[in-house]
Amino acid sequence: GTGSSILSALQDLFWLSKSKLEKQLQIISVLQWVLTFLVMGVACTLLLLYVLCTDCWAIAALYLAWLAFDWNTPKKGGRRSQWVRNWAIWRYFRDYFPIRLVKTHNLLTTRNYIFGYHPHGIMGLGAFCNFSTEATGVGQKFPGIRPHLATLAGNFRMPILRDYLMSGGICPVNRDSIDYILSQSGSGNAIVIVVGGAAESLDCTPGRNSVTLRNRKGFVRLALRHGADLVPVYSFGENEVYKQVIFEEGSWGRWVQKKFQKYIGFAPCIFHGRGLFSSNTWGLLPYPKPITTVVGEPITVPKIDNPSPKEVDFYHSMYVDSLVRLFDKYKGKFGLPEAERLEVN
């Protein structure tokens, strides 16, 4: 009857509104992370300096005193918060793309690990969502394993930002921090290193699967020194979420990018995604493309206090081969043609 028709129409309107609301929450969750990545450190530093010049200077002074006292905490495993890692906002973040974590092998809690994450992409969105939050269930898929995503040490010199990053289990990508976690925090730790770093971000663009790995051997040396197993990780779709202007080798643009990378630690990229209100305009939001992160089979690594170059080369070669096999095995399942090859630079 008429009543049933009206009820059905109201239900349709309700579900449409709910769907739109969820989409907006997804956009907001991603936007806050993009702004965190790009400007939070500088913004918080300027805010702290401003507060020092106001009548509320005592608040800033207390925080600076705390900062001095707490300065070395990032080097000692940080300050992980399961509450922050389980925020609902990260589930909206996950669903925006969506992002998915695929487990291929069990990891023993009696071992420590170094995960090599590839590719870097513009912002490493898959690395953050999978290993610095519980949105994709890393804790359930790898019970007893504590992932620590490693990022630029300079981020931990920024007020407020450092505490935000540490709450997700993020640590500085330097030898002191990694040595501490792998030697002083027991077993079951997994350091997640985006091996290609800033150099790799300069070449990321949709449709290209390339990694900067051929001469990146420091993570293998660390694994040998601590007897930490190496685990290749590949994120299908990481390069698809932003479009970037690629400067060719030898161009003035690439020269500027490399100088920034050498002296500051990051490479400025000219990129764009979609707009905030429309997918047909340019903006800072990434395109909602699926990102699937596949965690490969661990490579057992012996503990060698002072590994020789030959030993490092041997395990590095094993790692490269394992990463290529992982890519070849799963590329067809995630939309790539069987003829696609992983470019290792």
Side-chain angles (χ1 to χ4, degrees), residues 233-247:
V233 180
Y234 197 86
S235 253
F236 294 89
E238 184 73 64
N239 284 349
E240 307 299 315
V241 297
Y242 280 110
K243 296 179 180 179
Q244 180 183 188
V245 177
I246 303 293
F247 293 101

Side-chain angles (χ1 to χ4, degrees), residues 45 67 71 152-159 162 174:
T45 301
L67 189 63
W71 190 253
L152 290 175
N155 289 325
F156 296 89
R157 303 187 187 103
M158 301 285 189
R162 67 190 292 275
N174 58 32

Side-chain angles (χ1 to χ4, degrees), residues 87-103:
W87 277 354
I89 194 173
W90 306 132
R91 295 193 290 275
Y92 289 112
F93 183 99
R94 172 199 66 197
D95 293 339
Y96 172 86
F97 296 92
I99 296 174
R100 178 186 171 206
L101 181 66
V102 176
K103 170 186 174 180

Side-chain angles (χ1 to χ4, degrees), residues 96-170:
Y96 172 86
F97 296 92
I99 296 174
R100 178 186 171 206
L101 181 66
V102 176
K103 170 186 174 180
T104 64
H105 291 78
N106 292 324
L107 298 180
L108 299 175
T109 57
T110 55
R111 301 285 293 173
N112 283 324
Y113 302 90
I114 292 182
F115 286 18
Y117 184 92
H118 313 270
H120 182 286
I122 295 292
M123 297 184 187
L125 294 163
F128 169 76
C129 185
N130 284 307
F131 301 113
S132 295
T133 80
E134 293 296 330
T136 56
V138 65
Q140 288 73 42
K141 291 177 180 177
F142 299 103
I145 301 299
R146 294 178 298 277
H148 302 262
L149 178 61
T151 188
L152 290 175
N155 289 325
F156 296 89
R157 303 187 187 103
M158 301 285 189
I160 309 301
L161 175 63
R162 67 190 292 275
D163 302 288
Y164 190 32
L165 295 178
M166 283 194 292
S167 67
I170 301 176

Side-chain angles (χ1 to χ4, degrees), residues 47-105:
L47 178 62
L48 188 65
L49 293 174
Y50 170 75
V51 173
L52 277 172
C53 299
T54 68
D55 293 339
C56 297
W57 64 269
I59 297 175
L62 284 172
Y63 179 79
L64 287 173
W66 159 253
L67 189 63
F69 173 78
D70 195 55
W71 190 253
N72 289 323
T73 297
K75 299 178 182 178
K76 297 181 178 180
R79 191 165 42 246
R80 176 189 301 262
S81 168
Q82 285 301 115
W83 175 64
V84 173
R85 287 175 61 89
N86 281 287
W87 277 354
I89 194 173
W90 306 132
R91 295 193 290 275
Y92 289 112
F93 183 99
R94 172 199 66 197
D95 293 339
Y96 172 86
F97 296 92
I99 296 174
R100 178 186 171 206
L101 181 66
V102 176
K103 170 186 174 180
T104 64
H105 291 78

Side-chain angles (χ1 to χ4, degrees), residues 72-318:
N72 289 323
T73 297
K75 299 178 182 178
K76 297 181 178 180
R79 191 165 42 246
R80 176 189 301 262
S81 168
Q82 285 301 115
W83 175 64
V84 173
R85 287 175 61 89
N86 281 287
W87 277 354
I89 194 173
W90 306 132
R91 295 193 290 275
Y92 289 112
F93 183 99
R94 172 199 66 197
D95 293 339
Y96 172 86
F97 296 92
I99 296 174
R100 178 186 171 206
L101 181 66
V102 176
K103 170 186 174 180
T104 64
H105 291 78
N106 292 324
L107 298 180
L108 299 175
T109 57
T110 55
R111 301 285 293 173
N112 283 324
Y113 302 90
I114 292 182
F115 286 18
Y117 184 92
H118 313 270
H120 182 286
I122 295 292
M123 297 184 187
L125 294 163
F128 169 76
C129 185
N130 284 307
F131 301 113
S132 295
T133 80
E134 293 296 330
T136 56
V138 65
Q140 288 73 42
K141 291 177 180 177
F142 299 103
I145 301 299
R146 294 178 298 277
H148 302 262
L149 178 61
T151 188
L152 290 175
N155 289 325
F156 296 89
R157 303 187 187 103
M158 301 285 189
I160 309 301
L161 175 63
R162 67 190 292 275
D163 302 288
Y164 190 32
L165 295 178
M166 283 194 292
S167 67
I170 301 176
C171 68
V173 62
N174 58 32
R175 181 169 170 175
D176 289 343
S177 175
I178 295 173
D179 280 348
Y180 184 92
I181 293 171
L182 295 180
S183 63
Q184 303 295 321
S185 300
S187 60
N189 295 290
I191 305 293
V192 183
I193 300 177
V194 186
V195 177
E200 189 173 84
S201 69
L202 299 179
D203 293 320
C204 68
T205 188
R208 183 173 183 181
N209 289 283
S210 67
V211 297
T212 301
L213 179 59
R214 193 70 65 188
N215 296 314
R216 299 294 177 104
K217 301 179 181 179
F219 73 105
V220 177
R221 187 173 292 105
L222 278 170
L224 285 165
R225 288 182 61 246
H226 292 283
D229 293 350
L230 289 166
V231 182
V233 180
Y234 197 86
S235 253
F236 294 89
E238 184 73 64
N239 284 349
E240 307 299 315
V241 297
Y242 280 110
K243 296 179 180 179
Q244 180 183 188
V245 177
I246 303 293
F247 293 101
E248 297 298 327
E249 289 291 342
S251 67
W252 68 269
R254 182 56 67 101
W255 180 85
V256 170
Q257 289 176 321
K258 286 188 173 181
K259 288 298 181 183
F260 264 84
Q261 177 192 337
K262 180 178 179 180
Y263 294 109
I264 302 180
F266 72 92
C269 302
I270 301 177
F271 65 92
H272 73 84
R274 54 156 290 182
L276 180 59
F277 301 107
S278 172
S279 59
N280 297 321
T281 59
W282 288 9
L284 290 176
L285 279 176
Y287 292 104
K289 304 288 187 179
I291 298 175
T292 305
T293 302
V294 184
V295 180
E297 181 179 6
I299 301 168
T300 302
V301 174
K303 188 177 186 303
I304 305 174
D305 291 333
N306 294 295
S308 67
K310 185 176 180 180
E311 290 167 327
V312 172
D313 287 344
F314 175 77
Y315 283 97
H316 181 267
S317 178
M318 285 183 64

